[in-house]
Amino acid sequence: ISQLIAEGLLEQSPGGGVLVVQFTRENIVDLCELREALETFALSKVARLGLMRPSDKERLQKLVDALLVLKDELLKSGETVLNGEQMKRFIAVDFGFHALLIALSQNSRINKVVNDTRLLMRIFSMLRRGHNAAELDRIFMKHIEILNCIERQDVPATAKAITEYLQESER
């Protein structure tokens, strides 16, 4: 309980108990901004130092390709948006993609803070409606762009691509 209070998920109530913190829109924006700053730095470092090996690129490409599998399932289903189970898979794929890229930065502190931040953000993503086919296409293309920028070791383009992606996600 003390750790959850320290992480801001619980707060002491005046009566001596604890309450679950109700996050505001501003809290979520703060988390998004923190993630953007740290992830942009981490991915820029990966690009600058050429830390993505061919085996990493292969693993990342498989995660990106899973987005197309979800899109195909969606189109075949006749539905307009991903259902709850598909959104859980989307979140796992997206989380895995970003977590692996950040891990490549070899900065354990950034890795921990970003993963903690993403965990909190995942809670809020579960409350949103599912993505449609056009959104899945856009996310797929952004992930490919990020990978290509890192592979070319183009630091400014990497920073721009991840910043744009995260800002679109925040909106």
Side-chain angles (χ1 to χ4, degrees):
I1 290 176
S2 297
Q3 182 168 351
L4 292 174
I5 291 170
E7 291 177 8
L9 297 173
L10 297 177
E11 63 186 5
Q12 290 290 157
S13 72
V18 291
L19 300 170
V20 175
V21 171
Q22 297 299 311
F23 278 86
T24 65
R25 181 170 176 73
E26 290 78 24
N27 296 134
I28 297 167
V29 169
D30 289 348
L31 289 172
C32 290
E33 289 173 350
L34 176 64
R35 177 183 172 205
E36 179 186 329
L38 294 175
E39 197 161 341
T40 299
F41 174 83
L43 273 57
S44 294
K45 177 183 176 184
V46 172
R48 184 177 71 253
L49 300 178
L51 298 174
M52 184 172 67
R53 300 176 313 245
S55 59
D56 300 321
K57 171 84 188 272
E58 220 174 278
R59 288 172 57 203
L60 289 159
Q61 187 65 53
K62 285 180 183 175
L63 289 166
V64 172
D65 291 343
L67 297 171
L68 294 181
V69 171
L70 283 167
K71 179 188 166 195
D72 288 344
E73 284 179 21
L74 176 62
L75 294 174
K76 287 177 185 170
S77 75
E79 297 294 324
T80 57
V81 295
L82 296 177
N83 64 32
E85 180 272 328
Q86 291 167 322
M87 270 307 283
K88 285 180 186 173
R89 285 176 33 218
F90 167 82
I91 290 167
V93 165
D94 190 60
F95 184 86
F97 177 81
H98 290 273
L100 178 52
L101 281 173
I102 293 165
L104 294 178
S105 74
Q106 302 172 356
N107 185 314
S108 60
R109 295 253 182 217
I110 288 177
N111 197 31
K112 179 180 179 352
V113 172
V114 171
N115 284 335
D116 290 349
T117 301
R118 284 187 52 84
L119 179 61
L120 288 173
M121 292 171 70
R122 273 178 75 179
I123 294 166
F124 300 108
S125 336
M126 290 179 190
L127 303 175
R128 74 180 303 276
R129 68 170 181 78
H131 291 302
N132 63 35
E135 290 167 329
L136 290 170
D137 271 336
R138 180 186 55 74
I139 294 165
F140 171 82
M141 294 306 295
K142 273 300 190 187
H143 282 135
I144 292 294
E145 180 185 0
I146 292 164
L147 278 181
N148 290 338
C149 292
I150 292 171
E151 188 172 41
R152 290 191 318 267
Q153 292 186 266
D154 186 338
V155 176
T158 298
K160 182 177 187 274
I162 190 62
T163 297
E164 287 175 353
Y165 173 75
L166 294 174
Q167 288 176 355
E168 286 173 19
S169 295
E170 181 182 342
R171 281 190 292 278

